[in-house]
Amino acid sequence: MDEILMSCPLFVNMEPDEITGLLKCLRVEKKKFSKNRMVFTAGDEIQSVGILLEGKLQILKEDFWGNRMILAQLEPGELFGEAFVCGRIKELPVTILAADDSRILLLDYARVMTSCPASCEHHSRLIRNMVQILARKTIEMNRKIEIVTQRTIREKVLAYLSGQALQRGNPFDLPFNRQEMADYLAVDRSALSNELGKLQKEGRIRFQRNHFQIYT
């Protein structure tokens, strides 16, 4: 677990003994969830910041008719729930699903954002790290909005693949299967597959399953 926490942005630039000391005063709770179990359901009250230790989580939004959109997919070391508890949202507006067998660590948000009586430097650094995480998540959400508000499926696909190539390098592996990609882009799966096929025939992209390469 130490390696995962060392990679977590909440504990960036901290030594293992500093992290261990912080965990003792943050009121942590460990939980396990099997695949397809709900970690939190829309409407739940949340007062903790979660860190994914193992597995994969998806942040989902469902409309009245049950149509599902994937807002984000989390890998080990990433945080979740921090924006909602920071904003004092009483009822969680999203569902958090374990997309694989997963282990999580829950931290009491009030303790994270309140410096301990000793006012230790590593707790002050923890608070600064949390502020930076919130800022980065806002930027990421703005990028997601840019993608899903494109006018056509083609424009959504190209905007998404372009962002992945810039982030991961080209070629790259996507974190989603086709249905998950369709849910992320808020499009029909068949229409997505059809558009990907057209783009490959035109020489704009090349892909095999989740391995993609894009061309100018």
Side-chain angles (χ1 to χ4, degrees):
M1 186 177 73
D2 288 344
E3 292 183 2
I4 294 298
L5 292 181
M6 288 284 290
S7 70
C8 176
L10 185 62
F11 301 110
V12 68
N13 296 324
M14 292 188 190
E15 298 298 325
D17 59 334
E18 293 177 325
I19 297 174
T20 299
L22 280 170
L23 293 179
K24 291 179 180 179
C25 70
L26 292 180
R27 193 182 291 165
V28 302
E29 182 181 6
K30 299 177 185 178
K31 289 189 174 183
K32 293 182 179 181
F33 294 88
S34 57
K35 184 176 181 180
N36 294 326
R37 285 284 304 278
M38 300 297 182
V39 177
F40 290 105
T41 303
D44 287 350
E45 183 177 355
I46 182 171
Q47 297 179 345
S48 301
V49 176
I51 300 175
L52 178 60
L53 300 176
E54 180 182 323
K56 182 169 63 177
L57 300 182
Q58 291 179 346
I59 313 298
L60 308 174
K61 182 72 173 180
E62 292 185 330
D63 63 19
F64 181 81
W65 296 276
N67 297 311
R68 174 178 291 183
M69 175 187 286
I70 298 176
L71 300 179
Q73 181 162 283
L74 306 183
E75 303 295 334
E78 293 191 84
L79 270 70
F80 60 92
E82 70 284 351
F84 303 114
V85 289
C86 179
R88 297 183 179 180
I89 306 300
K90 291 186 177 180
E91 293 186 355
L92 195 64
V94 299
T95 292
I96 301 176
L97 172 75
D100 283 329
D101 292 343
S102 302
R103 292 190 303 116
I104 67 171
L105 190 70
L106 295 176
L107 314 176
D108 185 287
Y109 183 78
R111 291 189 173 230
V112 171
M113 297 303 289
T114 303
S115 184
C116 55
S119 298
C120 54
E121 170 57 28
H122 44 276
H123 201 138
S124 298
R125 193 180 308 130
L126 184 82
I127 296 172
R128 292 196 297 270
N129 289 344
M130 177 61 77
V131 173
Q132 292 177 353
I133 290 168
L134 290 168
R136 285 198 297 269
K137 289 288 183 75
T138 299
I139 294 171
E140 291 172 5
M141 186 54 63
N142 286 338
R143 175 57 182 161
K144 171 70 182 295
I145 292 171
E146 290 177 8
I147 293 172
V148 299
T149 54
Q150 296 293 317
R151 293 172 298 175
T152 66
I153 294 177
R154 170 170 291 222
E155 289 172 339
K156 290 182 181 183
V157 169
L158 290 176
Y160 174 64
L161 294 180
S162 173
Q164 290 295 303
L166 291 172
Q167 177 184 344
R168 301 172 184 271
N170 191 31
F172 53 91
D173 292 321
L174 292 183
F176 297 132
N177 60 35
R178 287 295 178 272
Q179 184 59 60
E180 292 170 338
M181 185 178 177
D183 290 342
Y184 183 82
L185 297 176
V187 299
D188 178 75
R189 177 179 176 175
S190 297
L192 171 64
S193 296
N194 185 50
E195 196 60 58
L196 288 173
K198 289 180 180 178
L199 288 167
Q200 181 157 253
K201 288 181 180 179
E202 295 169 10
R204 301 288 302 277
I205 65 173
R206 186 183 298 271
F207 66 90
Q208 184 173 9
R209 294 188 177 180
N210 285 5
H211 187 71
F212 279 75
Q213 184 165 5
I214 63 175
Y215 300 92
T216 56

